[in-house]
Amino acid sequence: MGKYRTAMIEVRNLSQTFVSPKGSFRALEDVNLSIPDHDFIAIIGRSGAGKSTFLRTLNGLLIPSEGSVVVGATDITQLSKRALQKYRCKVGFIFQQFNLVNRLSVLDNVLHGRLGYLPTWRGLLGLYTEHDYEVARAQLARLDLSTKENARVDSLSGGQMQRVAIARAMAQEPALILADEPAANLDPVLSEEVMRTLRGFNAEQGVTVVINIHALDLALEYAKRIIAFKRGRLVFDGRPAELSDALVDDIYERKEMLA
Amino acid sequence: MIAIVLYVLSGIAIALLSGIAKGSMRRLWLGAAVGLLIAFVAFPFSRSLGNLTRETVNPTLLALATDFPWLFGLPVLLILTLLIARRGGPRGAWTAVVTGVATLLAGLVFYSQPVHLVRLAPINGLMELLTALVLLGAIGLAAWNRPRLRWPLLAVGLVAGVLAFFWLNSSQGGHTYLPNSAGYYKLLRPTPAGANLQLVDAYNAGLQARNQVAKENGLALAEPIQSLADLKGKIPAEAANQGYRMLQPSRLQYGAFAVFVLAGLMLGAGLLHLRNLRLEETGDLQAGVVLASVFSLLLPAFNATEFNPAKLVKGWPFLVQFGQKAWPPLLADPSTNRFPLQEVLSFMTITVEIALVGTFIAALVALPTSFLAARNLTGASPWMRGVFYFTRAFYNVDRGIDTLILALILVAAVGLGPFAGVLAMAIHSVADLGKLYSEAIENVDKGPIEALESTGTAGVNVLRWAILPQVLPLLVSYTVYRFEINFRVSIILGFVGAGGIGFFIQGAMAAGQYDQMIIGVIAIVIVVNLIDFASSYLRSRLV
Ligand SMILES: Nc1ncnc2c1ncn2[C@@H]1O[C@H](COP(=O)(O)OP(=O)(O)O)[C@@H](O)[C@H]1O
Ligand SMILES: [Mg+2]
């Protein structure tokens, strides 16, 4: 468990404003939150509530307009490009669209998780170390993809692709995994499988998991803690059991529809 | 006269053919009316001569109208036709018939006018004004799509237009560089009574002095004249300098072709429209304007390119002779130690090799630079943006300089031979390949880029592992396609001495060895097709 130890993440007064030619849009509004080590958080909310925006801020894919994201002692919103890359090595990100490089093999894609640890020139030549191969193969075995190692990604099914993406994130040996609707493109059985895998990482290796999720039932079943966004504001933060039906209706703005 | 009848009949024939296909007749006569308006102001109708060939002025109908004021009736009628046409129905068709007949008559009446003296009245500043207006119009168009910049841009356009006008219209400015633009559009004015006699007298008075000079130079002496007609259409040099010209109404130019064909078309289409009033559609005016525009672009172009099937008829015997000499091909003649087939084969090999090396070097340079020309990779800093615009600008300039032109220059620099050709090809192809490459890079799926960035991968490795695998098949495919084009370019390179089969063909042609040249031609046909086939096969396997 030791190797996955990290510091607590403190999100303070986080706001995000998108400015476009049509005007500006406030996607996150004064969000405060702390994420302790080994937590398993599910973020719920309607489409457009700001879930993805929040998740992207946590690994520096987006720089917030205001506020800070403090990991340990450093505020990652202030980091230089290099330092940010170093931080990201330890943060795995899983996308709804998998975002794999389709023309490459499964193994190549998983090895991409190791690129951040390699010197640039070795990366360019694809000269991974023995250790990199071990880590990658271990993750493939764990996700039951060993036989597909040399297959091209575009020959895989959706469920297999998402497992490759998870293997890539895990090959980073991350302290934190961020998953943005990882199961939204999968059928219910595969969705459960993805959730179980993530819970396994959390339970066995102590990886902190923050996951955006549509399906409320999956969130309630797998997460230790639920966070809800409504129009950019944090409106709930607590254990699944504390989430009442009335709150859920409010989060999903379902009142009028029921009436 | 026969020509005029033919023109009118062909106009009517177009209307008839289109009528058989139940095409809209209103569209045709509307197009004809617009075309006639354009012809009236812009196409030369007949000819007026000065003393020297370059003093010839070909006036438009508008220019002639100041000599024959009744010609002003034509545009009035045409505009009236356009106005009435908006309603459609029999009234429009009738107007078309009437206008068609009137145009025809006007043309004929003008045609039968006697040769007579006129005087030029240049409209100063007209071309300069038009150029300035085009500039203003272009900026105005650009301004229209940018609501926020609309008024500032229009103001800039106005200032630029005014400045352009004054510069173009000044003797130190435009008239130094574009001397023809000064008073380019010339109206013809009637001459005052007695001008003819004055010119004759002046000519005869100066005769003795001119003959003196002619005698000293051993030239033929000139006789005194009774009237200007004795000069056979020309006029004395002094008269030409004073702006006199001898108008020859019956020497028709392409504008007359346009007027008579369109008059016939208008008449025919109008009559058919009267017979069947349903032959009109919505959007006839737009379609008519489009037809008229295409016609007005093509006609001067045909005239400028001296398109003339009669020349082909005259040149036919040469073609026959060429065919007889070229066949059968002379593959080898051991008695004179000549082996054309072998020569063609080795020239063909070098032609392919030029294309191979040229394309390869171009790809090598285009690959790294195309990343700098991709919009999606260069947004990070103003500095990168600068590199982006620089690379794009380089590509755009380079694309404009054709391989053949580069080869001409490089042959002068590095000498005759394939090296000049390879260099020229490489330099030009960099731009084409680079532009295609960078567009491929701009269209990559952003997902993998984001995924690699979020694993902490450094910039170049994101290029290497997220972008390159995505675009590589496309890049290879573009390169193969470029090779295919470059092979065809490399055939021509020989003509400027930059190596390859073109050199052989040019030599054989110049020496009249058509039976050897034909081997080269056949070889080209075969290899072009082989390479096209191989290239499309390869490309279909790639993407
Ligand atoms: N780069 C961007 N530019 C402008 N608006 C954005 C951008 N990213 C997201 N948004 C807007 O911010 C809001 C929140 O988006 P997002 O975080 O993706 O919501 P969720 O993931 O909860 O569906 C949406 O209305 C979206 O349109
Ligand atoms: Mg989202």
Side-chain angles (χ1 to χ4, degrees):
Chain A
M1 228 189 221
K3 123 170 123 185
Y4 297 114
R5 186 162 296 271
T6 183
M8 168 125 123
I9 300 174
E10 287 279 356
V11 177
R12 293 187 199 129
N13 306 97
L14 188 73
S15 294
Q16 181 67 272
T17 309
F18 291 115
V19 183
S20 68
K22 282 181 210 147
S24 64
F25 180 80
R26 199 100 162 134
L28 288 177
E29 179 83 65
D30 196 25
V31 175
N32 284 285
L33 188 69
S34 63
I35 305 174
D37 236 3
H38 316 317
D39 210 351
F40 192 121
I41 302 179
I43 303 179
I44 60 171
R46 289 189 59 170
S47 187
K51 304 184 296 293
S52 299
T53 305
F54 178 71
L55 216 59
R56 285 157 172 276
T57 325
L58 291 186
N59 83 338
L61 275 178
L62 271 177
I63 304 298
S65 328
E66 290 154 43
S68 55
V69 177
V70 180
V71 181
T74 48
D75 178 1
I76 64 156
T77 64
Q78 306 295 328
L79 289 181
S80 70
K81 216 165 113 186
R82 276 243 150 269
L84 192 58
Q85 280 167 5
K86 203 160 168 247
Y87 163 70
R88 283 184 189 155
C89 287
K90 283 286 175 192
V91 182
F93 204 108
I94 299 167
F95 299 85
Q96 179 182 345
Q97 317 287 347
F98 323 140
N99 290 357
L100 299 168
V101 185
N102 282 332
R103 294 184 164 274
L104 297 181
S105 72
V106 168
L107 182 62
D108 278 334
N109 270 280
V110 177
L111 282 169
H112 288 167
R114 305 300 301 170
L115 274 173
Y117 295 108
L118 279 184
T120 304
W121 69 271
R122 291 193 68 136
L124 276 176
L125 299 174
L127 289 176
Y128 297 100
T129 63
E130 274 310 308
H131 175 67
D132 292 332
Y133 280 102
E134 274 165 29
V135 173
R137 291 220 164 86
Q139 292 307 329
L140 282 176
R142 181 173 180 149
L143 286 152
D144 199 17
L145 283 165
S146 292
T147 55
K148 293 280 179 189
E149 192 179 294
N150 293 313
R152 252 172 70 149
V153 162
D154 48 12
S155 69
L156 301 182
S157 69
Q160 288 168 330
M161 286 194 195
Q162 192 57 295
R163 292 202 323 260
V164 176
I166 294 173
R168 172 175 66 190
M170 283 309 290
Q172 290 175 244
E173 303 187 307
L176 169 67
I177 279 197
L178 306 171
D180 194 0
E181 318 233 0
N185 278 356
L186 305 177
D187 66 38
V189 179
L190 291 174
S191 304
E192 291 252 8
E193 194 186 301
V194 166
M195 294 306 286
R196 269 201 303 277
T197 308
L198 291 175
R199 185 165 67 181
F201 290 140
N202 176 256
E204 293 154 30
Q205 286 164 298
V207 187
T208 311
V209 175
V210 182
I211 177 171
N212 282 352
I213 193 157
H214 253 3
L216 188 59
D217 51 335
L218 289 180
L220 295 175
E221 187 180 343
Y222 288 95
K224 293 180 186 163
R225 178 178 165 197
I226 304 265
I227 285 173
F229 281 108
K230 183 181 164 190
R231 302 187 184 194
R233 289 176 181 281
L234 191 87
V235 290
F236 176 81
D237 180 359
R239 282 180 293 109
E242 291 168 340
L243 194 61
S244 68
D245 283 353
L247 262 170
V248 170
D249 286 347
D250 180 46
I251 291 163
Y252 288 99
E253 300 178 60
R254 270 197 294 216
K255 279 204 178 88
E256 308 84 41
M257 289 166 74
L258 287 178
Chain B
M1 196 62 202
I2 296 175
I4 296 180
V5 174
L6 277 180
Y7 295 165
V8 174
L9 285 181
S10 55
I12 296 175
I14 295 171
L16 275 175
L17 283 177
S18 162
I20 292 170
K22 293 265 182 284
S24 162
M25 284 300 133
R26 189 171 61 153
R27 176 194 312 163
L28 282 188
W29 57 256
L30 273 173
V34 176
L36 278 169
L37 277 174
I38 297 174
F40 187 85
V41 292
F43 294 170
F45 190 87
S46 79
R47 171 156 287 187
S48 67
L49 301 178
N51 184 264
L52 304 170
T53 318
R54 65 176 152 84
E55 285 166 349
T56 300
V57 169
N58 295 331
T60 62
L61 280 175
L62 175 61
L64 290 164
T66 39
D67 194 24
F68 301 98
W70 48 269
L71 279 175
F72 279 121
L74 264 189
V76 173
L77 258 181
L78 288 167
I79 291 172
L80 219 76
T81 311
L82 289 177
L83 289 178
I84 292 173
R86 296 185 7 161
R87 295 273 197 73
R91 202 133 50 106
W94 270 117
T95 324
V97 174
V98 170
T99 313
V101 171
T103 310
L104 197 55
L105 286 179
L108 285 173
V109 170
F110 173 78
Y111 175 80
S112 52
Q113 295 297 313
V115 173
H116 63 278
L117 198 64
V118 291
R119 194 158 190 181
L120 299 178
I123 309 181
N124 287 319
L126 179 68
M127 298 324 276
E128 294 86 342
L129 182 66
L130 286 178
T131 314
L133 285 179
V134 167
L135 183 66
L136 174 60
I139 298 182
L141 268 184
W144 214 245
N145 295 326
R146 293 175 177 74
R148 251 190 284 170
L149 285 174
R150 187 173 297 165
W151 298 113
L153 265 179
L154 277 181
V156 169
L158 204 61
V159 171
V162 169
L163 285 179
F165 174 75
F166 281 110
W167 185 82
L168 285 169
N169 202 23
S170 68
S171 51
Q172 292 89 9
H175 292 171
T176 306
Y177 303 101
L178 308 166
N180 283 353
S181 70
Y184 180 82
Y185 202 99
K186 298 175 178 70
L187 303 179
L188 302 189
R189 307 295 307 269
T191 50
N196 256 310
L197 287 178
Q198 262 177 19
L199 292 181
V200 170
D201 288 346
Y203 179 81
N204 288 337
L207 199 58
Q208 212 174 357
R210 283 202 304 278
N211 273 344
Q212 193 69 38
V213 178
K215 206 191 269 160
E216 282 163 18
N217 290 314
L219 296 172
L221 301 187
E223 299 282 317
I225 53 170
Q226 303 298 313
S227 79
L228 287 176
D230 293 349
L231 293 172
K232 299 196 177 77
K234 287 197 172 182
I235 56 171
E238 302 80 15
N241 285 339
Q242 289 165 34
Y244 286 104
R245 292 291 185 276
M246 195 57 87
L247 177 64
Q248 322 259 336
S250 63
R251 292 185 64 176
L252 299 179
Q253 304 300 308
Y254 71 85
F257 171 80
V259 167
F260 287 115
V261 170
L262 291 178
L265 179 63
M266 208 163 176
L267 177 60
L271 285 174
L272 287 172
H273 192 188
L274 270 183
R275 237 180 61 118
N276 182 354
L277 284 173
R278 273 170 308 170
L279 291 183
E280 58 181 50
E281 292 166 14
T282 50
D284 273 344
L285 184 60
Q286 286 89 327
V289 168
V290 170
L291 284 178
S293 313
V294 172
F295 178 77
S296 322
L297 277 177
L298 276 177
L299 189 60
F302 266 90
N303 179 64
T305 50
E306 300 171 18
F307 185 83
N308 184 1
K311 282 187 187 171
L312 196 57
V313 175
K314 239 175 96 186
W316 186 249
F318 171 81
L319 292 182
V320 173
Q321 194 198 355
F322 176 89
Q324 283 165 351
K325 275 197 184 176
W327 205 262
L330 177 70
L331 295 180
D333 185 3
S335 61
T336 58
N337 209 18
R338 293 251 294 275
F339 303 94
L341 177 62
Q342 182 177 297
E343 252 184 279
V344 164
L345 288 180
S346 58
F347 268 115
M348 193 46 108
T349 315
I350 191 78
T351 310
V352 176
E353 283 164 343
I354 291 172
L356 277 175
V357 178
T359 313
F360 176 76
I361 298 176
L364 225 53
V365 180
L367 184 63
T369 53
S370 63
F371 283 89
L372 304 177
R375 195 174 286 276
N376 55 336
L377 302 184
T378 47
S381 63
W383 191 83
M384 284 305 282
R385 259 291 111 113
V387 172
F388 165 81
Y389 282 115
F390 176 82
T391 320
R392 271 287 157 102
F394 166 73
Y395 284 170
N396 286 337
V397 172
D398 191 10
R399 267 158 62 91
I401 309 176
D402 195 76
T403 308
L404 214 55
I405 296 167
L406 285 168
L408 265 177
I409 301 168
L410 288 168
V411 162
V414 304
L416 289 171
F419 181 57
V422 163
L423 273 184
M425 182 174 287
I427 294 172
H428 177 74
S429 307
V430 162
D432 261 336
L433 281 180
K435 196 144 186 185
L436 286 173
Y437 287 4
S438 59
E439 269 154 24
I441 292 168
E442 282 173 0
N443 289 325
V444 298
D445 179 9
K446 286 193 277 298
I449 301 178
E450 211 166 44
L452 261 73
E453 275 173 354
S454 58
T455 64
T457 302
V460 276
N461 270 316
V462 177
L463 294 188
R464 167 68 185 83
W465 292 106
I467 296 178
L468 201 59
Q470 283 193 59
V471 297
L472 201 57
L474 216 56
L475 303 199
V476 174
S477 161
Y478 287 150
T479 314
V480 170
Y481 181 57
R482 186 68 224 180
F483 166 73
E484 186 185 323
I485 295 172
N486 275 347
F487 170 69
R488 273 171 283 175
V489 172
S490 134
I491 293 169
I492 314 290
L493 279 175
F495 289 123
V496 298
I501 188 86
F503 188 68
F504 172 85
I505 289 188
Q506 195 186 34
M509 184 76 196
Q513 297 157 337
Y514 305 142
D515 52 351
Q516 299 183 30
M517 176 195 158
I518 198 76
I519 307 173
V521 175
I522 294 170
I524 290 172
V525 172
I526 295 174
V527 179
V528 161
N529 281 286
L530 280 180
I531 288 184
D532 281 12
F533 175 77
S535 151
S536 29
Y537 173 76
L538 264 179
R539 284 184 286 131
S540 72
R541 294 296 304 269
L542 273 167
V543 191

